[in-house]
């Protein structure tokens, strides 16, 4: 078991912040994505994106999160 799947700390990169949460007692990964860089050609330059995905395994250590 790693600190990421124990929900102790998020992984922060220049792309955004990733952490494991619970939603209705189911493990999910929450992704808070940063704005596109100023030099990027995209339609969401001024918009942050947050998404949640249901997961069964830790993406860092591979431990099964649901028994």
């Amino acid at each position: 078991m790693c600190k990421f799947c124990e929900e102790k700390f998020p992984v922060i990169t220049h792309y955004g912040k990733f952490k494991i949460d619970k939603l209705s007692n189911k493990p999910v990964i929450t992704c808070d994505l940063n704005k596109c860089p100023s030099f990027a050609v995209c339609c969401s330059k001024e918009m942050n994106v947050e998404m949640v995905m249901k997961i069964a395994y830790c993406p860092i250590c591979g431990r099964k999160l649901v028994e």
Side-chain angles (χ1 to χ4, degrees):
M1 184 181 297
C2 67
K3 290 183 180 180
F4 184 71
C5 62
E6 288 179 345
E7 303 173 27
K8 299 277 188 210
F9 79 99
V11 172
I12 300 172
T13 69
H14 63 279
Y15 296 111
K17 182 170 74 170
F18 306 89
K19 64 181 179 172
I20 292 184
D21 280 330
K22 294 232 185 248
L23 184 64
S24 299
N25 288 330
K26 306 251 191 249
V28 295
I29 188 164
T30 302
C31 309
D32 296 320
L33 305 175
N34 296 329
K35 296 177 185 176
C36 292
S38 58
F39 56 83
V41 179
C42 68
C43 62
S44 60
K45 281 189 183 178
E46 299 302 319
M47 180 174 36
N48 290 350
V49 175
E50 183 174 344
M51 61 184 179
V52 176
M53 294 177 281
K54 183 179 168 186
I55 58 173
Y57 296 91
C58 175
I60 303 294
C61 70
R63 181 180 76 89
K64 188 171 181 175
L65 300 173
V66 180
E67 295 299 326

